Amino acid sequence: RGDLVAMHAGAPFRPPAEIEVLDLATGRRYRPFGRADLAVAPPAWSPDGHRLVACDGRTVASRLVAVAPRGGTVRAVRRDACFPGFARGRLAYRDMASRAVVLGRTAIADAGTLTGELGAAVDQLPGLAAQGGVVAVPATTLGRPGGPAPDTVLFLYDAEGRPIGRWDTGVTAREVWLLGGGRFAAVADTRRSVVVRDLRTGRLLRPPSGRAVAVAASPDLATLALAGPHRVWFVRVADGATIGSLPVAAGWLGWIR
């Protein structure tokens, strides 16, 4: 039902890191970028699965680079940008001015607009996510001594930059994903537990996985893959049953057709 992509990074946001692609059909692993310093932000797959885009943070002004999943020529696709994703086939990212951008459109959100929406100062962490026709822009309120803990709100936009909703996650998120073509949103909190929300129904799914650092949905939306400390577990969406695992340590996951 698709190729699982296990992107091993040792520990997210702690370079050096190695991005690996695992071919489920053959068991072969690929290192398409051929470098171990691309752990600045989670990479993103193009909708056709032909390109993997990652943030190259070797300089102060990061850039986005792309390569075929099994290796080849690494090409720069956008300068002064990081946190890649795709919305309706267009590259989405956050630029060095902290603006959430869909390529070919004006900026859809920045720190000022998010602060105005919440009426509180925010940090734009973690990075944005984009998939299908949805862009999720996180805004995490700033904690203060004696006050409430930081809370992450996901602001949701369509590929044209129009607001379509929000999700107050109730946690301090350290990672955000969109799954299933934008049907599901998921957050991992600072305690390393993952919560998945069906954006159509509002239903929450908390896979019984223990600690988890990443999640991906199969193309038919029937299965979740969850990356734990030492294994990737497969969980059936319908009933939450664990149906298998692989001995792979991964920092990020993706699933392509």
Side-chain angles (χ1 to χ4, degrees), residues 118-168:
L118 293 179
V122 301
D123 199 348
Q124 286 180 270
L125 291 175
L128 64 78
Q131 194 176 103
V134 181
V135 181
V137 181
T140 300
T141 58
L142 301 180
R144 58 183 185 276
D151 178 38
T152 301
V153 178
L154 286 190
F155 288 87
L156 305 171
Y157 302 87
D158 66 15
E160 304 299 325
R162 294 181 291 256
I164 56 175
R166 69 170 69 178
W167 173 26
D168 186 344

mmCIF file of all heavy atoms in Angstrom, residues 118-168:
data_model
loop_
_atom_site.group_PDB
_atom_site.id
_atom_site.type_symbol
_atom_site.label_atom_id
_atom_site.label_comp_id
_atom_site.label_asym_id
_atom_site.label_seq_id
_atom_site.Cartn_x
_atom_site.Cartn_y
_atom_site.Cartn_z
ATOM 1 N N LEU A 118 -4.760 35.675 18.484
ATOM 2 C CA LEU A 118 -4.838 35.089 19.824
ATOM 3 C C LEU A 118 -4.859 36.134 20.932
ATOM 4 O O LEU A 118 -5.180 35.805 22.081
ATOM 5 C CB LEU A 118 -3.656 34.132 20.051
ATOM 6 C CG LEU A 118 -3.657 32.863 19.201
ATOM 7 C CD1 LEU A 118 -2.418 32.025 19.506
ATOM 8 C CD2 LEU A 118 -4.915 32.038 19.453
ATOM 9 N N GLY A 119 -4.496 37.360 20.622
ATOM 10 C CA GLY A 119 -4.440 38.384 21.649
ATOM 11 C C GLY A 119 -3.340 38.130 22.660
ATOM 12 O O GLY A 119 -3.425 38.562 23.810
ATOM 13 N N ALA A 120 -2.295 37.427 22.228
ATOM 14 C CA ALA A 120 -1.172 37.115 23.110
ATOM 15 C C ALA A 120 0.068 36.946 22.253
ATOM 16 O O ALA A 120 -0.013 36.562 21.084
ATOM 17 C CB ALA A 120 -1.441 35.840 23.909
ATOM 18 N N ALA A 121 1.206 37.241 22.838
ATOM 19 C CA ALA A 121 2.465 37.072 22.120
ATOM 20 C C ALA A 121 2.692 35.590 21.836
ATOM 21 O O ALA A 121 2.399 34.724 22.674
ATOM 22 C CB ALA A 121 3.614 37.638 22.943
ATOM 23 N N VAL A 122 3.191 35.302 20.634
ATOM 24 C CA VAL A 122 3.378 33.911 20.241
ATOM 25 C C VAL A 122 4.767 33.708 19.665
ATOM 26 O O VAL A 122 5.422 34.641 19.203
ATOM 27 C CB VAL A 122 2.333 33.470 19.193
ATOM 28 C CG1 VAL A 122 0.928 33.619 19.731
ATOM 29 C CG2 VAL A 122 2.504 34.236 17.883
ATOM 30 N N ASP A 123 5.182 32.458 19.695
ATOM 31 C CA ASP A 123 6.391 32.012 19.023
ATOM 32 C C ASP A 123 5.947 31.113 17.884
ATOM 33 O O ASP A 123 5.047 30.286 18.069
ATOM 34 C CB ASP A 123 7.283 31.239 20.006
ATOM 35 C CG ASP A 123 8.713 31.137 19.526
ATOM 36 O OD1 ASP A 123 8.968 31.453 18.347
ATOM 37 O OD2 ASP A 123 9.583 30.732 20.326
ATOM 38 N N GLN A 124 6.536 31.254 16.710
ATOM 39 C CA GLN A 124 6.130 30.447 15.566
ATOM 40 C C GLN A 124 6.884 29.118 15.565
ATOM 41 O O GLN A 124 7.614 28.785 14.647
ATOM 42 C CB GLN A 124 6.360 31.211 14.264
ATOM 43 C CG GLN A 124 5.351 32.311 14.037
ATOM 44 C CD GLN A 124 5.613 33.045 12.742
ATOM 45 O OE1 GLN A 124 6.352 34.021 12.721
ATOM 46 N NE2 GLN A 124 5.020 32.572 11.666
ATOM 47 N N LEU A 125 6.705 28.401 16.618
ATOM 48 C CA LEU A 125 7.282 27.070 16.747
ATOM 49 C C LEU A 125 6.184 26.085 17.099
ATOM 50 O O LEU A 125 5.274 26.416 17.856
ATOM 51 C CB LEU A 125 8.361 27.053 17.843
ATOM 52 C CG LEU A 125 9.644 27.825 17.528
ATOM 53 C CD1 LEU A 125 10.551 27.816 18.746
ATOM 54 C CD2 LEU A 125 10.359 27.232 16.329
ATOM 55 N N PRO A 126 6.265 24.866 16.567
ATOM 56 C CA PRO A 126 7.251 24.382 15.598
ATOM 57 C C PRO A 126 6.983 24.959 14.210
ATOM 58 O O PRO A 126 6.192 25.893 14.068
ATOM 59 C CB PRO A 126 7.033 22.870 15.624
ATOM 60 C CG PRO A 126 5.593 22.713 16.020
ATOM 61 C CD PRO A 126 5.286 23.839 16.954
ATOM 62 N N GLY A 127 7.608 24.387 13.177
ATOM 63 C CA GLY A 127 7.434 24.881 11.813
ATOM 64 C C GLY A 127 6.096 24.500 11.234
ATOM 65 O O GLY A 127 5.366 23.668 11.778
ATOM 66 N N LEU A 128 5.740 25.120 10.090
ATOM 67 C CA LEU A 128 4.447 24.844 9.469
ATOM 68 C C LEU A 128 4.422 23.460 8.826
ATOM 69 O O LEU A 128 5.457 22.811 8.631
ATOM 70 C CB LEU A 128 4.109 25.916 8.436
ATOM 71 C CG LEU A 128 4.984 26.086 7.185
ATOM 72 C CD1 LEU A 128 4.698 25.031 6.140
ATOM 73 C CD2 LEU A 128 4.761 27.478 6.590
ATOM 74 N N ALA A 129 3.216 23.002 8.483
ATOM 75 C CA ALA A 129 3.005 21.754 7.744
ATOM 76 C C ALA A 129 2.040 22.043 6.613
ATOM 77 O O ALA A 129 1.150 22.891 6.741
ATOM 78 C CB ALA A 129 2.450 20.670 8.664
ATOM 79 N N ALA A 130 2.194 21.360 5.490
ATOM 80 C CA ALA A 130 1.305 21.555 4.346
ATOM 81 C C ALA A 130 1.137 20.228 3.632
ATOM 82 O O ALA A 130 2.098 19.510 3.398
ATOM 83 C CB ALA A 130 1.865 22.610 3.389
ATOM 84 N N GLN A 131 -0.114 19.903 3.292
ATOM 85 C CA GLN A 131 -0.406 18.678 2.549
ATOM 86 C C GLN A 131 -1.791 18.797 1.946
ATOM 87 O O GLN A 131 -2.692 19.393 2.553
ATOM 88 C CB GLN A 131 -0.314 17.441 3.451
ATOM 89 C CG GLN A 131 -0.268 16.132 2.672
ATOM 90 C CD GLN A 131 -0.087 14.917 3.567
ATOM 91 O OE1 GLN A 131 -1.038 14.198 3.821
ATOM 92 N NE2 GLN A 131 1.127 14.692 4.025
ATOM 93 N N GLY A 132 -1.981 18.194 0.752
ATOM 94 C CA GLY A 132 -3.274 18.300 0.097
ATOM 95 C C GLY A 132 -3.605 19.758 -0.136
ATOM 96 O O GLY A 132 -2.811 20.506 -0.691
ATOM 97 N N GLY A 133 -4.763 20.188 0.312
ATOM 98 C CA GLY A 133 -5.157 21.587 0.172
ATOM 99 C C GLY A 133 -5.109 22.348 1.470
ATOM 100 O O GLY A 133 -5.789 23.372 1.611
ATOM 101 N N VAL A 134 -4.317 21.893 2.438
ATOM 102 C CA VAL A 134 -4.307 22.492 3.773
ATOM 103 C C VAL A 134 -2.893 22.916 4.151
ATOM 104 O O VAL A 134 -1.922 22.201 3.886
ATOM 105 C CB VAL A 134 -4.845 21.502 4.830
ATOM 106 C CG1 VAL A 134 -4.856 22.147 6.222
ATOM 107 C CG2 VAL A 134 -6.245 21.024 4.455
ATOM 108 N N VAL A 135 -2.796 24.099 4.771
ATOM 109 C CA VAL A 135 -1.557 24.569 5.379
ATOM 110 C C VAL A 135 -1.844 24.813 6.855
ATOM 111 O O VAL A 135 -2.794 25.519 7.203
ATOM 112 C CB VAL A 135 -1.057 25.867 4.728
ATOM 113 C CG1 VAL A 135 0.256 26.328 5.377
ATOM 114 C CG2 VAL A 135 -0.873 25.681 3.229
ATOM 115 N N ALA A 136 -1.045 24.203 7.734
ATOM 116 C CA ALA A 136 -1.201 24.367 9.181
ATOM 117 C C ALA A 136 -0.048 25.211 9.700
ATOM 118 O O ALA A 136 1.123 24.831 9.550
ATOM 119 C CB ALA A 136 -1.219 23.007 9.876
ATOM 120 N N VAL A 137 -0.385 26.351 10.295
ATOM 121 C CA VAL A 137 0.627 27.275 10.809
ATOM 122 C C VAL A 137 0.517 27.305 12.326
ATOM 123 O O VAL A 137 -0.478 27.804 12.868
ATOM 124 C CB VAL A 137 0.429 28.690 10.236
ATOM 125 C CG1 VAL A 137 1.509 29.627 10.767
ATOM 126 C CG2 VAL A 137 0.465 28.655 8.708
ATOM 127 N N PRO A 138 1.496 26.771 13.060
ATOM 128 C CA PRO A 138 1.416 26.747 14.510
ATOM 129 C C PRO A 138 1.749 28.104 15.125
ATOM 130 O O PRO A 138 2.581 28.853 14.612
ATOM 131 C CB PRO A 138 2.470 25.703 14.917
ATOM 132 C CG PRO A 138 2.891 25.039 13.651
ATOM 133 C CD PRO A 138 2.649 26.026 12.561
ATOM 134 N N ALA A 139 1.084 28.392 16.231
ATOM 135 C CA ALA A 139 1.400 29.558 17.048
ATOM 136 C C ALA A 139 1.398 29.092 18.493
ATOM 137 O O ALA A 139 0.374 28.609 18.986
ATOM 138 C CB ALA A 139 0.379 30.672 16.835
ATOM 139 N N THR A 140 2.512 29.209 19.161
ATOM 140 C CA THR A 140 2.640 28.764 20.548
ATOM 141 C C THR A 140 2.759 29.978 21.450
ATOM 142 O O THR A 140 3.675 30.805 21.284
ATOM 143 C CB THR A 140 3.871 27.857 20.719
ATOM 144 O OG1 THR A 140 3.739 26.708 19.874
ATOM 145 C CG2 THR A 140 4.007 27.387 22.166
ATOM 146 N N THR A 141 1.828 30.101 22.383
ATOM 147 C CA THR A 141 1.857 31.243 23.294
ATOM 148 C C THR A 141 3.107 31.184 24.168
ATOM 149 O O THR A 141 3.627 30.112 24.471
ATOM 150 C CB THR A 141 0.612 31.266 24.192
ATOM 151 O OG1 THR A 141 0.527 30.035 24.934
ATOM 152 C CG2 THR A 141 -0.654 31.423 23.353
ATOM 153 N N LEU A 142 3.584 32.357 24.549
ATOM 154 C CA LEU A 142 4.795 32.431 25.357
ATOM 155 C C LEU A 142 4.444 32.226 26.825
ATOM 156 O O LEU A 142 3.565 32.911 27.367
ATOM 157 C CB LEU A 142 5.484 33.785 25.165
ATOM 158 C CG LEU A 142 5.903 34.115 23.726
ATOM 159 C CD1 LEU A 142 6.576 35.487 23.673
ATOM 160 C CD2 LEU A 142 6.839 33.051 23.179
ATOM 161 N N GLY A 143 5.101 31.274 27.471
ATOM 162 C CA GLY A 143 4.870 31.042 28.900
ATOM 163 C C GLY A 143 5.564 32.102 29.737
ATOM 164 O O GLY A 143 6.477 32.790 29.291
ATOM 165 N N ARG A 144 5.103 32.231 30.947
ATOM 166 C CA ARG A 144 5.738 33.159 31.869
ATOM 167 C C ARG A 144 5.659 32.576 33.272
ATOM 168 O O ARG A 144 4.770 31.769 33.581
ATOM 169 C CB ARG A 144 5.055 34.530 31.825
ATOM 170 C CG ARG A 144 3.583 34.517 32.154
ATOM 171 C CD ARG A 144 2.976 35.912 32.003
ATOM 172 N NE ARG A 144 1.583 35.940 32.420
ATOM 173 C CZ ARG A 144 0.564 35.600 31.633
ATOM 174 N NH1 ARG A 144 0.794 35.205 30.388
ATOM 175 N NH2 ARG A 144 -0.677 35.656 32.084
ATOM 176 N N PRO A 145 6.596 32.953 34.165
ATOM 177 C CA PRO A 145 6.603 32.395 35.525
ATOM 178 C C PRO A 145 5.272 32.617 36.225
ATOM 179 O O PRO A 145 4.737 33.732 36.245
ATOM 180 C CB PRO A 145 7.734 33.178 36.206
ATOM 181 C CG PRO A 145 8.630 33.610 35.093
ATOM 182 C CD PRO A 145 7.722 33.874 33.932
ATOM 183 N N GLY A 146 4.723 31.547 36.761
ATOM 184 C CA GLY A 146 3.456 31.628 37.475
ATOM 185 C C GLY A 146 2.238 31.638 36.581
ATOM 186 O O GLY A 146 1.107 31.604 37.070
ATOM 187 N N GLY A 147 2.438 31.691 35.279
ATOM 188 C CA GLY A 147 1.321 31.717 34.349
ATOM 189 C C GLY A 147 1.063 30.351 33.749
ATOM 190 O O GLY A 147 1.720 29.363 34.084
ATOM 191 N N PRO A 148 0.094 30.259 32.841
ATOM 192 C CA PRO A 148 -0.202 28.981 32.197
ATOM 193 C C PRO A 148 0.957 28.523 31.315
ATOM 194 O O PRO A 148 1.754 29.333 30.839
ATOM 195 C CB PRO A 148 -1.459 29.280 31.362
ATOM 196 C CG PRO A 148 -1.413 30.756 31.131
ATOM 197 C CD PRO A 148 -0.768 31.350 32.349
ATOM 198 N N ALA A 149 1.016 27.224 31.105
ATOM 199 C CA ALA A 149 2.046 26.666 30.242
ATOM 200 C C ALA A 149 1.808 27.109 28.801
ATOM 201 O O ALA A 149 0.671 27.405 28.412
ATOM 202 C CB ALA A 149 2.034 25.146 30.334
ATOM 203 N N PRO A 150 2.854 27.183 27.993
ATOM 204 C CA PRO A 150 2.657 27.534 26.580
ATOM 205 C C PRO A 150 1.673 26.582 25.902
ATOM 206 O O PRO A 150 1.677 25.381 26.155
ATOM 207 C CB PRO A 150 4.065 27.397 25.991
ATOM 208 C CG PRO A 150 4.983 27.584 27.155
ATOM 209 C CD PRO A 150 4.271 26.987 28.330
ATOM 210 N N ASP A 151 0.822 27.136 25.052
ATOM 211 C CA ASP A 151 -0.212 26.356 24.367
ATOM 212 C C ASP A 151 -0.076 26.580 22.865
ATOM 213 O O ASP A 151 0.058 27.715 22.412
ATOM 214 C CB ASP A 151 -1.595 26.806 24.851
ATOM 215 C CG ASP A 151 -2.722 26.064 24.141
ATOM 216 O OD1 ASP A 151 -2.579 24.859 23.881
ATOM 217 O OD2 ASP A 151 -3.745 26.704 23.844
ATOM 218 N N THR A 152 -0.113 25.485 22.096
ATOM 219 C CA THR A 152 0.032 25.587 20.649
ATOM 220 C C THR A 152 -1.335 25.540 19.973
ATOM 221 O O THR A 152 -2.115 24.616 20.199
ATOM 222 C CB THR A 152 0.905 24.450 20.096
ATOM 223 O OG1 THR A 152 2.196 24.504 20.717
ATOM 224 C CG2 THR A 152 1.065 24.571 18.588
ATOM 225 N N VAL A 153 -1.623 26.536 19.156
ATOM 226 C CA VAL A 153 -2.829 26.588 18.343
ATOM 227 C C VAL A 153 -2.418 26.436 16.884
ATOM 228 O O VAL A 153 -1.500 27.124 16.419
ATOM 229 C CB VAL A 153 -3.594 27.910 18.542
ATOM 230 C CG1 VAL A 153 -4.824 27.963 17.639
ATOM 231 C CG2 VAL A 153 -3.995 28.079 20.007
ATOM 232 N N LEU A 154 -3.089 25.532 16.154
ATOM 233 C CA LEU A 154 -2.847 25.366 14.727
ATOM 234 C C LEU A 154 -3.849 26.214 13.953
ATOM 235 O O LEU A 154 -5.056 26.007 14.060
ATOM 236 C CB LEU A 154 -3.006 23.906 14.308
ATOM 237 C CG LEU A 154 -1.918 22.912 14.686
ATOM 238 C CD1 LEU A 154 -2.165 21.593 13.960
ATOM 239 C CD2 LEU A 154 -0.547 23.438 14.376
ATOM 240 N N PHE A 155 -3.360 27.168 13.178
ATOM 241 C CA PHE A 155 -4.207 27.944 12.283
ATOM 242 C C PHE A 155 -4.184 27.260 10.919
ATOM 243 O O PHE A 155 -3.113 26.987 10.365
ATOM 244 C CB PHE A 155 -3.704 29.381 12.183
ATOM 245 C CG PHE A 155 -3.957 30.184 13.420
ATOM 246 C CD1 PHE A 155 -3.044 30.181 14.466
ATOM 247 C CD2 PHE A 155 -5.125 30.924 13.557
ATOM 248 C CE1 PHE A 155 -3.280 30.916 15.622
ATOM 249 C CE2 PHE A 155 -5.371 31.662 14.702
ATOM 250 C CZ PHE A 155 -4.447 31.658 15.741
ATOM 251 N N LEU A 156 -5.359 26.972 10.382
ATOM 252 C CA LEU A 156 -5.494 26.202 9.162
ATOM 253 C C LEU A 156 -5.928 27.101 8.009
ATOM 254 O O LEU A 156 -6.864 27.891 8.147
ATOM 255 C CB LEU A 156 -6.506 25.069 9.359
ATOM 256 C CG LEU A 156 -6.214 24.124 10.539
ATOM 257 C CD1 LEU A 156 -7.385 23.183 10.769
ATOM 258 C CD2 LEU A 156 -4.936 23.345 10.308
ATOM 259 N N TYR A 157 -5.237 26.961 6.871
ATOM 260 C CA TYR A 157 -5.530 27.753 5.672
ATOM 261 C C TYR A 157 -5.641 26.813 4.480
ATOM 262 O O TYR A 157 -5.062 25.718 4.472
ATOM 263 C CB TYR A 157 -4.412 28.757 5.411
ATOM 264 C CG TYR A 157 -4.147 29.705 6.550
ATOM 265 C CD1 TYR A 157 -3.264 29.360 7.575
ATOM 266 C CD2 TYR A 157 -4.765 30.948 6.604
ATOM 267 C CE1 TYR A 157 -3.011 30.235 8.626
ATOM 268 C CE2 TYR A 157 -4.514 31.833 7.653
ATOM 269 C CZ TYR A 157 -3.640 31.462 8.663
ATOM 270 O OH TYR A 157 -3.403 32.323 9.705
ATOM 271 N N ASP A 158 -6.372 27.251 3.443
ATOM 272 C CA ASP A 158 -6.366 26.480 2.206
ATOM 273 C C ASP A 158 -5.165 26.918 1.362
ATOM 274 O O ASP A 158 -4.397 27.807 1.754
ATOM 275 C CB ASP A 158 -7.685 26.597 1.450
ATOM 276 C CG ASP A 158 -7.980 27.998 0.923
ATOM 277 O OD1 ASP A 158 -7.056 28.844 0.879
ATOM 278 O OD2 ASP A 158 -9.144 28.255 0.556
ATOM 279 N N ALA A 159 -4.981 26.290 0.202
ATOM 280 C CA ALA A 159 -3.807 26.568 -0.621
ATOM 281 C C ALA A 159 -3.791 27.982 -1.186
ATOM 282 O O ALA A 159 -2.750 28.464 -1.638
ATOM 283 C CB ALA A 159 -3.721 25.559 -1.764
ATOM 284 N N GLU A 160 -4.942 28.668 -1.154
ATOM 285 C CA GLU A 160 -5.013 30.056 -1.600
ATOM 286 C C GLU A 160 -4.748 31.033 -0.465
ATOM 287 O O GLU A 160 -4.756 32.249 -0.677
ATOM 288 C CB GLU A 160 -6.382 30.340 -2.215
ATOM 289 C CG GLU A 160 -6.755 29.425 -3.362
ATOM 290 C CD GLU A 160 -5.786 29.526 -4.515
ATOM 291 O OE1 GLU A 160 -5.279 30.633 -4.763
ATOM 292 O OE2 GLU A 160 -5.518 28.496 -5.166
ATOM 293 N N GLY A 161 -4.543 30.510 0.756
ATOM 294 C CA GLY A 161 -4.265 31.368 1.896
ATOM 295 C C GLY A 161 -5.485 31.797 2.673
ATOM 296 O O GLY A 161 -5.392 32.653 3.564
ATOM 297 N N ARG A 162 -6.664 31.209 2.360
ATOM 298 C CA ARG A 162 -7.879 31.570 3.097
ATOM 299 C C ARG A 162 -7.979 30.757 4.383
ATOM 300 O O ARG A 162 -7.749 29.542 4.375
ATOM 301 C CB ARG A 162 -9.113 31.331 2.230
ATOM 302 C CG ARG A 162 -9.201 32.227 1.005
ATOM 303 C CD ARG A 162 -10.468 31.936 0.220
ATOM 304 N NE ARG A 162 -10.424 30.627 -0.417
ATOM 305 C CZ ARG A 162 -10.214 30.430 -1.720
ATOM 306 N NH1 ARG A 162 -10.023 31.465 -2.523
ATOM 307 N NH2 ARG A 162 -10.205 29.218 -2.219
ATOM 308 N N PRO A 163 -8.347 31.389 5.524
ATOM 309 C CA PRO A 163 -8.503 30.636 6.769
ATOM 310 C C PRO A 163 -9.666 29.658 6.689
ATOM 311 O O PRO A 163 -10.736 30.006 6.196
ATOM 312 C CB PRO A 163 -8.759 31.708 7.832
ATOM 313 C CG PRO A 163 -8.878 33.003 7.134
ATOM 314 C CD PRO A 163 -8.574 32.830 5.688
ATOM 315 N N ILE A 164 -9.441 28.423 7.172
ATOM 316 C CA ILE A 164 -10.489 27.399 7.146
ATOM 317 C C ILE A 164 -10.731 26.778 8.513
ATOM 318 O O ILE A 164 -11.543 25.867 8.631
ATOM 319 C CB ILE A 164 -10.162 26.296 6.117
ATOM 320 C CG1 ILE A 164 -8.795 25.671 6.403
ATOM 321 C CG2 ILE A 164 -10.206 26.851 4.700
ATOM 322 C CD1 ILE A 164 -8.470 24.499 5.492
ATOM 323 N N GLY A 165 -10.047 27.257 9.545
ATOM 324 C CA GLY A 165 -10.286 26.721 10.878
ATOM 325 C C GLY A 165 -9.058 26.823 11.753
ATOM 326 O O GLY A 165 -8.012 27.338 11.344
ATOM 327 N N ARG A 166 -9.206 26.360 12.973
ATOM 328 C CA ARG A 166 -8.078 26.311 13.907
ATOM 329 C C ARG A 166 -8.280 25.160 14.878
ATOM 330 O O ARG A 166 -9.397 24.690 15.087
ATOM 331 C CB ARG A 166 -7.921 27.628 14.663
ATOM 332 C CG ARG A 166 -9.036 27.919 15.664
ATOM 333 C CD ARG A 166 -8.724 29.114 16.559
ATOM 334 N NE ARG A 166 -8.735 30.376 15.852
ATOM 335 C CZ ARG A 166 -8.527 31.553 16.441
ATOM 336 N NH1 ARG A 166 -8.274 31.608 17.734
ATOM 337 N NH2 ARG A 166 -8.581 32.666 15.740
ATOM 338 N N TRP A 167 -7.201 24.715 15.480
ATOM 339 C CA TRP A 167 -7.243 23.650 16.486
ATOM 340 C C TRP A 167 -6.378 24.075 17.656
ATOM 341 O O TRP A 167 -5.167 24.208 17.528
ATOM 342 C CB TRP A 167 -6.734 22.342 15.895
ATOM 343 C CG TRP A 167 -6.583 21.210 16.888
ATOM 344 C CD1 TRP A 167 -7.256 21.046 18.062
ATOM 345 C CD2 TRP A 167 -5.688 20.090 16.793
ATOM 346 N NE1 TRP A 167 -6.856 19.896 18.703
ATOM 347 C CE2 TRP A 167 -5.901 19.285 17.938
ATOM 348 C CE3 TRP A 167 -4.758 19.688 15.837
ATOM 349 C CZ2 TRP A 167 -5.175 18.101 18.167
ATOM 350 C CZ3 TRP A 167 -4.046 18.516 16.058
ATOM 351 C CH2 TRP A 167 -4.259 17.737 17.208
ATOM 352 N N ASP A 168 -7.009 24.305 18.809
ATOM 353 C CA ASP A 168 -6.272 24.546 20.052
ATOM 354 C C ASP A 168 -5.881 23.179 20.587
ATOM 355 O O ASP A 168 -6.701 22.446 21.135
ATOM 356 C CB ASP A 168 -7.135 25.302 21.050
ATOM 357 C CG ASP A 168 -6.366 25.704 22.300
ATOM 358 O OD1 ASP A 168 -5.268 25.146 22.534
ATOM 359 O OD2 ASP A 168 -6.842 26.564 23.055
#
